[in-house]
Amino acid sequence: MKIDKAVATHVRVPFVEPFRISSGCVAEKDAIVLELHSDGFTGYGESSAMAGRFYSADTPEKSWSELCELVLPAIVGREFECPQNWNLALDGLRAGNFTKAGVETAFWDLAAQSRNQPLHIALGGRKDQVQAGLAVGLYDDLTDMLRAIERYLVDGYRRVKVKIEPGRDIDIVNAVRSAFGDIPLFVDANGAYTPEYVDVFRVLDEFGLLMFEQPYPGSFLEELAELQQLVRTPICLDESLETLEQLQEAIRLGSFRIANFKIQRVGGFYRALEMDAICRKHGLKAWVGTMPELGIGQAQGIALASLDNFVYATDVEASDRWFQDDIVNPFIQVRNGTIDLPSKPGLGVSVDRTKIQKYEIASRSFSE
Ligand SMILES: [Mg+2]
């Protein structure tokens, strides 16, 4: 595959309502849509860091400059044969994982199209549909949070995840259990706690939650292992698992029992598949998390979630759950708590050029 042309377009789409977690709040979804052109095919990807430092040190501005100054000029005009090949090239450029993910996944879309194969089949997935889970952010008023859960649960989402932070945790879980009973439920702290809060997790351990997602910061692997010794609820790692080395260290220490893989955080499909293979070897189950991304990233999430070891419901939700609009046709839809995998070659959804233009902040094109 020779890359004839590459285009990056920074888009900004308003959220349905501001999304708040323990580290910040965002009202608009930034994403950089990547197009790679090769031999008449167009492969799409999405570099989807959140604005500010909402989730990680990666930001849309950092990805934009890495893509335009470093990554896209380096790949245009070059030949790439296989995933190892383009990952080697991208890893040598030392761009952030969110930046890399947009380009790396666009390569997979191209490769799947050229083999006339749906993306999820190219990745090794075997499911026809995946289970979708509902996630809700932090709300000032618990009644508003319960109303949001109620509004979306009618789509049949298979589990609910609530965000927590110190001082707003046990009351949140209590309120959800009181309102909705014994539904599959878990909490995501986005690393907001330290071991001094261990008693909060001892109390939450009594609520029959599916998992505690990232209770302590990403680097606290030893402390997370100590916490896992104290509670029955499985610990799930998200922010901790950026690299193969971090994953192996977390396994060695016993820091978790469930892995959340985000395509953006790990820098694309190839690394996600490598990390999943390591988890399978150790009997550790996984699921696919999201930022959330716009429709391109969400469609990629569904494709990854179709692999056998992704046994828990994904964070991928319906397009209109998060965004006032989306850039793909058709929108991602959740019916009876599941999302169907598309059967078309490649990503399987169309990217809407009119929408890209409508939400464009900046665009740059690179050709030979
Ligand atoms: Mg998380």
Side-chain angles (χ1 to χ4, degrees):
M1 276 184 327
K2 184 176 169 225
I3 304 303
D4 306 318
K5 187 173 119 177
V7 183
T9 307
H10 185 172
V11 296
R12 195 170 279 160
V13 178
F15 276 108
V16 169
E17 59 181 358
F19 180 30
R20 176 135 42 100
I21 64 174
S22 54
S23 59
C25 183
V26 283
E28 291 175 307
K29 171 62 195 167
D30 281 79
I32 299 164
V33 175
L34 276 315
E35 283 169 47
L36 297 184
H37 297 254
S38 175
D39 202 20
F41 295 111
T42 306
Y44 283 98
E46 177 178 334
S47 283
S48 214
M50 292 291 211
R53 292 176 68 89
F54 179 80
Y55 171 83
S56 73
D58 291 88
T59 62
E61 294 72 25
K62 177 173 174 279
S63 284
W64 179 254
S65 67
E66 288 173 347
L67 287 163
C68 294
E69 287 159 31
L70 193 64
V71 180
L72 299 182
I75 61 165
V76 168
R78 281 180 62 185
E79 290 265 3
F80 300 91
E81 294 312 323
C82 59
Q84 292 93 318
N85 210 215
W86 66 72
N87 272 272
L88 201 63
L90 294 171
D91 287 343
L93 296 170
R94 302 199 173 277
N97 278 352
F98 285 69
T99 306
K100 184 191 162 192
V103 181
E104 204 276 337
T105 53
F107 270 109
W108 280 89
D109 185 16
L110 272 182
Q113 287 179 56
S114 69
R115 283 151 60 180
N116 201 29
Q117 208 174 34
L119 178 61
H120 66 279
I121 303 286
L123 292 169
R126 298 197 294 188
K127 299 172 199 157
D128 296 326
Q129 50 181 208
V130 300
Q131 299 199 342
L134 178 70
V136 296
L138 288 162
Y139 288 80
D140 285 335
D141 186 341
L142 281 180
T143 315
D144 292 336
M145 180 196 69
L146 296 174
R147 217 173 276 141
I149 295 173
E150 192 175 26
R151 182 173 354 132
Y152 294 113
L153 269 191
V154 295
D155 292 328
Y157 284 99
R158 298 303 172 95
R159 52 83 171 151
V160 174
K161 141 171 157 179
V162 291
K163 297 286 186 177
I164 57 169
E165 65 179 6
R168 298 206 292 171
D169 33 48
I170 296 161
D171 57 333
I172 288 178
V173 174
N174 229 334
V176 179
R177 277 277 180 255
S178 303
F180 301 103
D182 201 21
I183 57 168
L185 176 68
F186 68 93
V187 293
D188 182 6
N190 290 102
Y193 294 81
T194 53
E196 69 187 84
Y197 291 100
V198 64
D199 287 343
V200 170
F201 293 97
R202 285 184 199 273
V203 175
L204 290 176
D205 204 25
E206 301 302 317
F207 282 89
L209 302 176
L210 287 174
M211 59 191 95
F212 295 151
E213 186 177 347
Q214 201 68 51
Y216 300 160
S219 61
F220 280 41
L221 293 181
E222 285 182 18
E223 292 85 350
L224 285 158
E226 284 163 21
L227 177 61
Q228 185 65 92
Q229 292 289 319
L230 294 174
V231 294
R232 291 185 305 269
T233 309
I235 288 178
C236 169
L237 294 185
D238 173 354
E239 284 89 339
S240 289
L241 306 180
E242 285 186 15
T243 64
L244 290 171
E245 293 70 28
Q246 288 164 327
L247 174 67
Q248 277 155 336
E249 179 68 355
I251 291 173
R252 190 183 70 75
L253 291 168
S255 310
F256 71 109
R257 294 189 188 143
I258 298 170
N260 165 348
F261 286 119
K262 287 182 174 157
I263 297 163
Q264 297 286 317
R265 188 193 68 230
V266 303
F269 287 127
Y270 185 69
R271 204 66 77 220
L273 296 179
E274 282 187 317
M275 293 171 98
D276 179 49
I278 294 170
C279 283
R280 271 188 283 126
K281 204 171 90 188
H282 289 88
L284 293 159
K285 301 296 183 192
W287 54 281
V288 174
T290 65
M291 295 310 300
E293 298 92 349
L294 292 173
I296 297 169
Q298 301 281 88
Q300 294 169 348
I302 301 160
L304 183 62
S306 74
L307 271 76
D308 288 349
N309 200 40
F310 292 81
V311 298
Y312 299 97
T314 171
D315 261 350
V316 177
E317 297 167 63
S319 292
D320 59 8
R321 182 299 176 231
W322 286 112
F323 309 114
Q324 291 183 20
D325 199 358
D326 204 345
I327 55 171
V328 294
N329 280 317
F331 279 15
I332 309 291
Q333 296 201 34
V334 173
R335 289 195 197 89
N336 195 24
T338 61
I339 305 173
D340 290 336
L341 283 148
S343 53
K344 286 190 213 156
L347 190 60
V349 292
S350 312
V351 175
D352 189 326
R353 307 295 318 169
T354 317
K355 299 276 186 72
I356 300 278
Q357 279 170 10
K358 179 177 173 187
Y359 296 108
E360 175 184 321
I361 305 295
S363 189
R364 287 274 308 271
S365 180
F366 302 82
S367 28
E368 284 187 82

